[in-house]
């Protein structure tokens, strides 16, 4: 898809790759995609027992082989989230047993601080490779936006295995039905589980992935993370990332106000930084300065701590912080096919009360 890069051949992922993917995903998450702490914890668990999974290109797997997408569904601001390793692995097993399909690889739904490495645990445990082709090369709010074009097939029946929560909130299972219905059901289940569930969903052919996914985007996240980590100061880190992605620093100022609301399992609201206004639906949707629109989803809009360079997700922004806002035009990103679907983009407008598709 857009911004496609040439990927390397099969390689065994290292802990260093994982850490870089977390920080690179933190930038490419665009305000969503989970938390850096969650991603780093996943990386440590993956490599606690040695080597990580293999990262493979689409050319190394038969186009008729089957993969499935793993995701984390929920609101990043939720404070009672719990998704264990066993639950994550269990979703893959449950999907295979419920569909009778043998998976040849796993793929993640998006790039984000906790999602670029999502699937590495499951793949390591089940001896499966990870595709260097997430459904999207940046984070997005809804499952439909990572459905690889399946939402256009009106008679398509979705299968989604889910698990999450701890104690009395623990739940797991499999839902089947129309894509919109099952996506909404899993979102509601994430609320019951404390705010987050792990999901393995919608087995598809490698051929469909090739037509709809963000090819090479995991490698891109690792490269962005390495550039970020190479900086010696926060400003260096931000500059390295902006240079690599062909982006722009739009504002460096103090956070004046944050309005965050939980609506239907999402974080929704507005943030004011100096004269800039950012709207978000988990991820940042618009950036305006003094009323002038400078970036609109799926353009990348991201906040970073000016002094440390740490990517700060929308749910982590607080009044008084000194933040730098960067943008990267969509043409510079590796995006999945859903990011060019005007119907999906129009669906953002009633949430953030801003024009998006136009």
């Amino acid at each position: 898809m857009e911004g496609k890069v040439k990927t390397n051949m099969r390689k065994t992922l290292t802990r260093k790759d994982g850490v870089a993917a977390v920080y690179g995903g933190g930038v490419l998450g665009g305000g969503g995609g989970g938390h850096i702490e969650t991603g780093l914890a996943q990386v440590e668990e993956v490599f606690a027992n040695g080597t990580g999974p293999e990262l493979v290109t689409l050319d190394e797997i038969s186009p008729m082989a089957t993969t499935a997408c793993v995701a984390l569904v929920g609101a990043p601001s939720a404070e009672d989230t719990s998704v264990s390793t066993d639950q994550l692995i269990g979703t893959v097993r449950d999907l295979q047993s419920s569909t009778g399909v043998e998976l040849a690889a796993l793929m993640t739904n998006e790039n984000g601080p906790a999602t670029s490495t999502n699937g590495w645990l499951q793949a390591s445990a089940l001896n499966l490779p990870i595709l260097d082709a997430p459904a999207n090369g940046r984070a997005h709010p809804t499952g439909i936006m990572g459905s690889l074009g399946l939402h256009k097939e009106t008679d398509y029946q979705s299968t989604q295995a889910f698990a999450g929560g701890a104690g009395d909130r623990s739940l797991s299972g499999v839902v089947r039905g129309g894509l919109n219905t099952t996506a909404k059901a899993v979102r509601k289940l994430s609320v019951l589980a404390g705010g987050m569930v792990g999901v393995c969903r919608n087995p598809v052919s490698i051929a469909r992935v090739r037509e709809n996914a963000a090819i090479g985007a995991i490698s891109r996240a690792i490269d962005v993370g390495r550039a970020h980590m190479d900086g010696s100061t926060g400003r260096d880190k931000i500059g390295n990332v902006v240079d690599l992605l062909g982006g722009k620093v739009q504002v460096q100022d103090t956070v004046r106000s944050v309005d965050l609301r939980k609506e239907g399992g999402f974080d929704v609201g507005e943030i004011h930084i100096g004269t800039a206004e950012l709207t978000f639906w988990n991820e940042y949707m618009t950036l305006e300065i003094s009323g002038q629109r400078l970036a609109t989803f799926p353009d990348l809009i991201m906040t970073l701590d000016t002094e440390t360079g740490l990517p700060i997700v929308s749910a982590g922004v607080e009044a008084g912080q000194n933040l730098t806002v960067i943008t990267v035009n969509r043409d510079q990103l590796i995006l999945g096919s859903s990011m060019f679907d005007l119907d999906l983009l129009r669906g953002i407008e009633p949430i953030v009360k801003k024009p998006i598709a136009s």
Side-chain angles (χ1 to χ4, degrees), residues 1-7 28 55-58 67 69 106-112 116 130-140 145-149 204 206-222 298 330 332-340:
M1 299 310 297
E2 195 76 21
K4 188 183 299 184
V5 297
K6 183 178 180 181
T7 57
L28 294 169
L55 183 70
V56 299
T57 69
L58 299 181
T67 185
C69 188
L106 293 177
M107 60 185 292
T108 187
N109 66 315
E110 64 184 17
N111 268 328
S116 291
I130 292 288
L131 289 182
D132 194 2
N136 199 7
R138 57 149 301 146
H140 52 259
M145 290 181 178
S147 65
L148 301 172
V204 294
I206 297 298
R208 175 176 281 274
V209 173
R210 185 180 295 278
E211 291 299 315
N212 292 279
I215 299 172
I218 298 301
S219 290
R220 174 64 63 86
I222 293 171
R330 65 195 68 184
Q332 299 294 111
L333 302 172
I334 308 175
L335 300 175
S337 62
S338 62
M339 294 293 95
F340 306 94

Side-chain angles (χ1 to χ4, degrees), residues 140-159:
H140 52 259
T142 70
I144 299 297
M145 290 181 178
S147 65
L148 301 172
L150 294 172
H151 66 288
K152 296 180 179 179
E153 299 182 12
T154 55
D155 59 346
Y156 177 75
Q157 290 290 292
S158 171
T159 303

Side-chain angles (χ1 to χ4, degrees), residues 48-126:
N49 297 317
T51 60
E54 287 188 313
L55 183 70
V56 299
T57 69
L58 299 181
D59 293 335
E60 297 169 87
I61 299 181
S62 166
M64 301 310 296
T66 301
T67 185
C69 188
V70 295
L72 294 172
V73 175
S77 70
E79 298 177 353
D80 197 23
T81 62
S82 176
V83 184
S84 71
T85 298
D86 288 343
Q87 287 172 325
L88 290 171
I89 296 169
T91 62
V92 181
R93 288 181 169 142
D94 287 347
L95 184 77
Q96 291 188 110
S97 63
S98 65
T99 61
V101 172
E102 182 176 352
L103 299 177
L106 293 177
M107 60 185 292
T108 187
N109 66 315
E110 64 184 17
N111 268 328
T115 51
S116 291
T117 57
N118 191 15
W120 295 22
L121 272 170
Q122 300 93 307
S124 294
L126 300 173

Side-chain angles (χ1 to χ4, degrees), residues 2-4 19 40 67 117 127-128 133 135 140-141 173 200 232 241-242 264 288 290 293 296 319:
E2 195 76 21
K4 188 183 299 184
V19 173
L40 292 176
T67 185
T117 57
N127 197 29
L128 293 171
H140 52 259
C200 186
S232 58
V241 165
V242 168
E288 296 176 356
S290 300
R293 181 71 64 86
T296 304

Side-chain angles (χ1 to χ4, degrees), residues 236-258:
D236 286 345
K237 293 176 185 292
I238 294 170
N240 289 350
V241 165
V242 168
D243 289 345
L244 178 63
L245 291 173
K248 184 177 181 180
V249 172
Q250 297 288 3
V251 64
Q252 290 179 338
D253 214 323
T254 302
V255 178
R256 294 192 290 113
S257 65
V258 178

Side-chain angles (χ1 to χ4, degrees), residues 34-52:
H35 293 281
I36 285 178
E37 296 81 5
T38 303
L40 292 176
Q42 288 178 348
V43 169
E44 292 306 316
E45 195 154 5
V46 169
F47 294 98
N49 297 317
T51 60

